[in-house]
Amino acid sequence: MNFKDITVGIVTFRSEKVIFKCLKSLINIKKIIILDNSNDLFLKEKIKKIYPHIKFILSKKNNGYGAGNNKIFRLAKTSHILVLNPDTILSKNCIKELIHQANLIKNKFAILAPSEKKIIKKGITEVEHVKGFSMLVNLSKIKKIKMFDENYFLYLEEIDLCKRLKLISEKIYICGKAKITHLSAKSSNIGFEFEKCRNWHWMWSKVYYDKKFYGRIYAIKRSFFYLLKNFFKSIFFLLILNYDKFMISYLRFSGTYNSLIGKRSWYRPKIN
């Protein structure tokens, strides 16, 4: 494997404050696909002016992180995709180290992820799952399990992906020498609306994941406490007129409840 075998794929949503640092850190990578879920024509024009080689796709409908990456997987012409969040910054030799380790193990991996700068590791470590903000995926392996589960809108889609890969005995590694900085929860600049979306989908995805892999009864038992807790917290914060905490508690309750009764992940962030 070498640099020409990799396409970088980035799914964005109102990410103009962070994505340019990410793009600047992509050394020696010419094939980049950005799929924007906020239909941000201004961002597209700005990026294309600086990086005309980038393929930028405006998605008229926001189908979430997993669905956005799946579309990039289908469009890519390379054997490997480096999935990145827009709020990541790669170290100078990050991709070079990923390629080096991939060649050492003769490409026998489904996912090879870089390591956060704060984690001191050398070589590669086999793991059960990796965080989804950055991972080099072997496209032929990912397609065996039909890529990301698009029922998830946000959160746990990468854990689900890794779980299904492990079930068919595929290998997942972290490369200690490939360093990356993740700004964490900075990928979108829509303020409190992003917090609302995050809290609803975190709870929805947790219940959906549990039902999918461990069954409905297990999911009910595991989530029932949180359902009641957030129900009573939402009433309390409403009574004391704390709108922000009321909304967070209510949305966590709503995400849990909707997933338990089998409703799809319908909540979407509201933007102007």
Side-chain angles (χ1 to χ4, degrees):
M1 184 200 302
N2 53 45
F3 285 100
K4 67 181 177 61
D5 296 316
I6 298 174
T7 297
V8 169
I10 308 173
V11 175
T12 59
F13 187 90
R14 293 294 176 99
S15 305
E16 62 272 15
K17 288 188 176 181
V18 292
I19 193 171
F20 289 97
K21 287 184 178 179
C22 176
L23 294 176
K24 189 177 180 180
S25 71
L26 296 177
I27 300 170
N28 296 321
I29 291 290
K30 302 301 181 184
K31 297 168 185 174
I32 302 170
I33 301 175
I34 297 173
L35 185 138
D36 181 68
N37 273 330
S38 58
N39 201 30
D40 192 341
L41 181 60
F42 174 78
L43 179 62
K44 178 180 180 178
E45 291 175 346
K46 191 173 180 180
I47 286 178
K48 292 293 284 184
K49 185 176 181 179
I50 303 171
Y51 302 100
H53 63 285
I54 290 179
K55 185 178 182 64
F56 195 109
I57 304 160
L58 293 174
S59 181
K60 293 181 180 179
K61 186 176 180 181
N62 184 3
N63 291 317
Y65 178 78
N69 276 302
N70 282 349
K71 187 166 185 178
I72 291 173
F73 293 166
R74 295 184 189 103
L75 290 170
K77 306 298 183 183
T78 55
S79 58
H80 295 76
I81 313 293
L82 180 59
V83 176
L84 289 178
N85 278 13
D87 59 347
T88 55
I89 303 169
L90 281 66
S91 65
K92 183 178 179 181
N93 293 319
C94 180
I95 299 177
K96 183 179 179 181
E97 287 293 342
L98 287 174
I99 292 171
H100 176 66
Q101 289 296 336
N103 289 330
L104 284 180
I105 58 176
K106 299 179 181 179
N107 208 31
K108 292 179 180 179
F109 69 93
I111 295 175
L112 179 62
S115 178
E116 292 183 81
K117 279 192 173 182
K118 60 186 178 183
I119 299 174
I120 308 300
K121 283 187 177 182
K122 295 181 180 180
I124 62 171
T125 305
E126 186 172 0
V127 294
E128 291 298 310
H129 58 80
V130 297
K131 295 178 181 179
F133 59 80
S134 177
M135 50 187 186
L136 180 65
V137 303
N138 187 330
L139 203 51
S140 64
K141 307 279 189 182
I142 298 299
K143 286 183 175 179
K144 285 182 182 180
I145 58 165
K146 299 181 180 179
M147 304 184 289
F148 282 106
D149 180 346
E150 297 186 11
N151 288 309
Y152 296 97
F153 179 80
L154 184 66
Y155 293 123
L156 296 183
E157 55 275 284
E158 82 279 22
I159 307 299
D160 177 292
L161 183 77
C162 292
K163 178 83 170 177
R164 288 183 285 126
L165 286 167
K166 282 295 188 178
L167 288 173
I168 61 170
S169 301
E170 292 293 353
K171 300 291 186 181
I172 300 170
Y173 297 101
I174 290 177
C175 177
K177 284 189 175 181
K179 296 298 184 182
I180 189 168
T181 299
H182 181 217
L183 302 179
S184 188
K186 303 293 184 184
S187 61
S188 182
N189 67 342
I190 58 174
F192 187 57
E193 191 59 42
F194 186 50
E195 287 302 309
K196 289 160 64 177
C197 184
R198 288 176 65 231
N199 278 276
W200 195 95
H201 283 287
W202 174 247
M203 301 309 294
W204 187 96
S205 294
K206 282 176 67 176
V207 175
Y208 176 78
Y209 179 90
D210 285 343
K211 284 197 299 182
K212 179 175 178 178
F213 291 105
Y214 306 109
R216 184 176 177 81
I217 300 300
Y218 176 88
I220 292 172
K221 288 180 178 179
R222 189 172 179 185
S223 61
F224 189 69
F225 169 76
Y226 297 102
L227 188 73
L228 289 179
K229 176 184 175 182
N230 286 300
F231 175 75
F232 287 113
K233 282 179 71 175
S234 65
I235 292 175
F236 172 75
F237 288 124
L238 181 62
L239 290 173
I240 66 171
L241 304 179
N242 189 324
Y243 173 77
D244 286 358
K245 289 187 176 180
F246 160 72
M247 283 305 303
I248 294 301
S249 297
Y250 170 73
L251 289 168
R252 289 174 74 86
F253 164 80
S254 176
T256 305
Y257 176 74
N258 277 270
S259 193
L260 278 172
I261 65 173
K263 283 198 172 183
R264 294 179 66 84
S265 55
W266 54 264
Y267 188 89
R268 298 293 182 266
K270 300 173 181 64
I271 57 175
N272 297 323

